[in-house]
Amino acid sequence: MGALFLFFVLFLTKENKVVLFLILSMIAVVAVQHILLTPAMISLGRMIDYLPPAAPSRIRSQFWVLHSFYWGMELTKWVLGLVLGARLVAHRSGRSGYAGQQFNLVDKANYRHVNGL
């Protein structure tokens, strides 16, 4: 979905490089989460399942370090998404000066109705 949005913004809009960088950054965060962190957390979680709950272990501490890093990346992704959304909304909020000229052309006297009245 992120790749489709990137191609849409890249080829169908006139957005600047900052917007493209924010989209690529979000895609990179998702890729790191999906390819590196999730499999490591799953394997460590499976090892923790067989440990006694009260026993301290190096595996459990590694799991919580990865878990904290995962949520830090998730927070980073949310911040990037909010900044991207704010830039897109702020860019669209201004009214185009050309749109008013285009609209006023219809009201000129030499533009007749279809039936000539």
Side-chain angles (χ1 to χ4, degrees), residues 50-92:
Y50 299 108
L51 294 175
S57 71
R58 192 176 123 247
I59 296 171
R60 188 172 280 124
S61 64
Q62 286 177 348
F63 173 82
W64 285 110
V65 166
L66 281 178
H67 190 268
S68 300
F69 189 64
Y70 183 91
W71 280 106
M73 291 190 78
E74 191 69 26
L75 180 64
T76 302
K77 187 172 60 175
W78 274 95
V79 168
L80 288 171
L82 289 173
V83 170
L84 175 64
R87 284 198 56 99
L88 290 174
V89 168
H91 179 71
R92 299 283 183 237

Side-chain angles (χ1 to χ4, degrees), residues 8-17 19-20 91-92:
F8 173 76
V9 170
L10 186 61
F11 295 118
L12 299 176
T13 65
K14 295 179 182 178
E15 295 298 332
N16 57 11
K17 293 177 184 177
V19 171
L20 293 174
H91 179 71
R92 299 283 183 237

